[in-house]
Amino acid sequence: MSATLRLHSYWRSSCSWRVRIALHHKGLPFEYVAVHLVKDGGEQHRPEYREKNALGMVPTLEVTESGTTRFLGQSLAILEWLEERYPQPALLPKDAYLRAAARQMAEAVNSSIQPLQNLSVLQYVKGTLHGDDKAWCQHWIGRGMAALEQMAHKHAGRYLVGDEVTLADACLVPQMYGARRFGVDPSQYPTLLRVEQACAALPAFQRAHADAQPDAQPTSR
Amino acid sequence: MSATLRLHSYWRSSCSWRVRIALHHKGLPFEYVAVHLVKDGGEQHRPEYREKNALGMVPTLEVTESGTTRFLGQSLAILEWLEERYPQPALLPKDAYLRAAARQMAEAVNSSIQPLQNLSVLQYVKGTLHGDDKAWCQHWIGRGMAALEQMAHKHAGRYLVGDEVTLADACLVPQMYGARRFGVDPSQYPTLLRVEQACAALPAFQRAHADAQPDAQPTSR
């Protein structure tokens, strides 16, 4: 029984990027549907998109199967669904404690770093609070990545958890891009940098990269 | 093979509370280790705690088994580990799409609401940016819970996903407490309110409640 997959994505969204890595890693064909997060105040806020994703966030994975279409949101929930539905090649280790370690590192990015560098949050920090959004980002990204480096020390082999790619790597790579974008020097995190380089050699990560997407733009920031 | 469980927790931490719900739901005995997030600048920042949890956050689940002790962090990673290790009573539905829905709602709380009401973020908003931390909370909690209400419309039965408790409920209940604490009126979210009431009737949720913990204090805010 095969499902048709469409990914609602924005090229530079780190959460979309994670899911692109998983799809390419598992060799799953999918249609790319660009959602422009900035143009006209953000296409993610349009009612027709909110029908698919109540929070108005990317990504959304649209799955059509046996005539029924479903919309899955939240990148880590999508990664877990993909792992259950298409278990090979895996994105989680076999050992239960290593699975917990991979999920812990993924969540460190997903819940302790990325939400604070999210576009809507930066708009509030700058627009409503008249705060320094760059200093804000550097504070939270710096805190989170220092902790991630410490976790990586314990668990990393070639990748973040041992020698196989996991969903922790799918979260790390877009986060490293985000760190540079917001002026955080990644050389402070040698283990993370080494893992990022190992991932960059893999075709799945190359195909999932922001700059390789159909809606990629010349970077201005 | 049995494991000894110790939960490093703070009574009012919503992330600790999620894990307490899961432990009680599954009938697992555990030792409660209080980590005071405010006293002396926060015990979570002490080096001996950071050894267990690099981000300096609660909860941490300490698992001792066959003479080895491991420290698991990030509440959703802990919930997934508990679900894998102690599958019954379950916290995830059997159907793959409903599992995705439960995880999506859990992540809406975990990554799109809670990180923005986290103590350290509020301290930065108020202390560094001189912003109104209450307005900040109301903005983000309001946005997130409105979306969660919309998701619940689609999936809720007695609980957030159908008629069985899932990890989405374990995330919802502490979030409702957080909403009230920060001045958000939960009557705007009738489905969430109804599910919260259904959960409140269950012994596991009663035992996990903030006020039932050994380190609970009279609320001042």
Side-chain angles (χ1 to χ4, degrees):
Chain A
M1 201 170 44
S2 84
T4 304
L5 306 176
R6 301 178 83 209
L7 183 67
H8 299 260
S9 167
Y10 181 61
W11 64 291
R12 201 158 57 167
S13 144
S14 64
C15 303
S16 302
W17 189 337
R18 296 169 194 163
V19 175
R20 297 194 304 254
I21 291 169
L23 289 165
H24 288 301
H25 178 75
K26 290 176 179 292
L28 298 168
F30 64 98
E31 184 187 342
Y32 190 98
V33 184
V35 180
H36 201 301
L37 298 191
V38 183
K39 196 169 65 182
D40 303 331
E43 294 177 350
Q44 74 279 20
H45 300 308
R46 291 184 183 169
E48 60 267 30
Y49 186 74
R50 290 257 182 183
E51 281 288 308
K52 301 176 177 73
N53 187 304
L55 268 162
M57 290 177 146
V58 287
T60 301
L61 185 65
E62 182 178 341
V63 184
T64 303
E65 181 170 26
S66 310
T68 303
T69 297
R70 295 177 177 89
F71 299 95
L72 315 184
Q74 291 288 344
S75 62
L76 285 200
I78 296 171
L79 294 182
E80 295 280 354
W81 181 84
L82 287 169
E83 185 71 359
E84 290 182 356
R85 177 64 193 264
Y86 308 96
Q88 296 299 330
L91 277 172
L92 280 169
K94 281 185 187 142
D95 175 83
Y97 287 108
L98 295 182
R99 291 163 78 87
R103 286 179 170 129
Q104 177 176 356
M105 286 192 258
E107 286 291 358
V109 174
N110 180 58
S111 74
S112 300
I113 306 176
Q114 193 282 329
L116 297 162
Q117 74 187 36
N118 189 276
L119 175 64
S120 58
V121 172
L122 301 188
Q123 286 169 338
Y124 192 106
V125 165
K126 194 173 181 180
T128 304
L129 301 182
H130 309 294
D132 180 342
D133 56 337
K134 200 165 176 182
W136 167 275
C137 276
Q138 290 175 354
H139 178 79
W140 299 113
I141 295 173
R143 178 194 72 154
M145 295 191 75
L148 201 59
E149 171 72 18
Q150 199 176 322
M151 295 180 217
H153 258 288
K154 276 191 200 160
H155 293 290
R158 180 162 177 82
Y159 304 108
L160 270 186
V161 181
D163 292 324
E164 304 289 338
V165 168
T166 67
L167 43 77
D169 302 299
C171 292
L172 171 69
V173 166
Q175 184 55 54
M176 293 291 277
Y177 176 95
R180 288 189 190 90
R181 182 177 165 205
F182 295 115
V184 174
D185 174 12
S187 71
Q188 302 169 75
Y189 317 113
T191 315
L192 304 184
L193 204 59
R194 177 175 62 68
V195 170
E196 183 196 31
Q197 284 163 352
C199 291
L202 302 174
F205 283 78
Q206 292 162 4
R207 296 180 68 190
H209 194 283
D211 296 338
Q213 305 317 305
D215 57 337
Q217 293 158 37
T219 47
S220 60
R221 176 172 178 153
Chain B
M1 201 171 44
S2 82
T4 304
L5 306 176
R6 301 178 83 211
L7 183 66
H8 300 259
S9 167
Y10 181 61
W11 65 291
R12 201 158 59 168
S13 146
S14 64
C15 303
S16 302
W17 189 336
R18 297 170 194 164
V19 176
R20 297 194 302 255
I21 291 170
L23 289 165
H24 288 301
H25 178 76
K26 291 177 178 294
L28 298 169
F30 64 97
E31 183 187 343
Y32 189 98
V33 185
V35 180
H36 201 302
L37 298 191
V38 182
K39 198 170 65 182
D40 303 331
E43 294 176 353
Q44 74 278 22
H45 300 308
R46 291 185 183 167
E48 59 268 32
Y49 186 75
R50 291 258 182 183
E51 281 287 308
K52 301 176 177 73
N53 187 305
L55 268 161
M57 290 177 146
V58 287
T60 301
L61 186 66
E62 182 177 341
V63 184
T64 304
E65 182 170 26
S66 309
T68 303
T69 297
R70 295 176 176 89
F71 299 95
L72 315 184
Q74 292 288 343
S75 62
L76 286 200
I78 296 171
L79 293 183
E80 295 280 354
W81 181 84
L82 287 170
E83 185 72 358
E84 290 182 355
R85 177 64 193 263
Y86 307 97
Q88 295 301 330
L91 277 172
L92 279 169
K94 281 184 188 143
D95 176 82
Y97 287 109
L98 295 182
R99 291 163 77 87
R103 286 180 170 128
Q104 179 177 356
M105 286 192 259
E107 286 291 359
V109 174
N110 181 57
S111 73
S112 299
I113 306 177
Q114 194 282 330
L116 297 162
Q117 73 186 37
N118 190 275
L119 175 64
S120 58
V121 172
L122 301 188
Q123 287 170 337
Y124 193 106
V125 165
K126 194 175 182 179
T128 303
L129 301 182
H130 309 294
D132 180 342
D133 57 337
K134 201 165 176 179
W136 166 276
C137 276
Q138 290 175 355
H139 178 80
W140 299 113
I141 294 173
R143 178 193 72 154
M145 295 191 75
L148 201 59
E149 172 71 19
Q150 199 177 323
M151 294 180 217
H153 258 289
K154 277 191 201 162
H155 293 289
R158 182 164 176 79
Y159 304 108
L160 271 185
V161 181
D163 292 324
E164 304 289 339
V165 168
T166 67
L167 43 78
D169 302 298
C171 291
L172 172 69
V173 166
Q175 184 54 54
M176 293 292 276
Y177 176 96
R180 288 189 189 88
R181 182 177 165 206
F182 295 115
V184 174
D185 175 12
S187 71
Q188 305 170 72
Y189 318 113
T191 315
L192 304 183
L193 204 58
R194 178 175 62 68
V195 170
E196 182 195 31
Q197 285 163 353
C199 290
L202 302 174
F205 284 79
Q206 292 162 4
R207 296 180 68 190
H209 195 283
D211 296 337
Q213 305 317 306
D215 56 337
Q217 293 159 37
T219 46
S220 61
R221 174 172 179 158

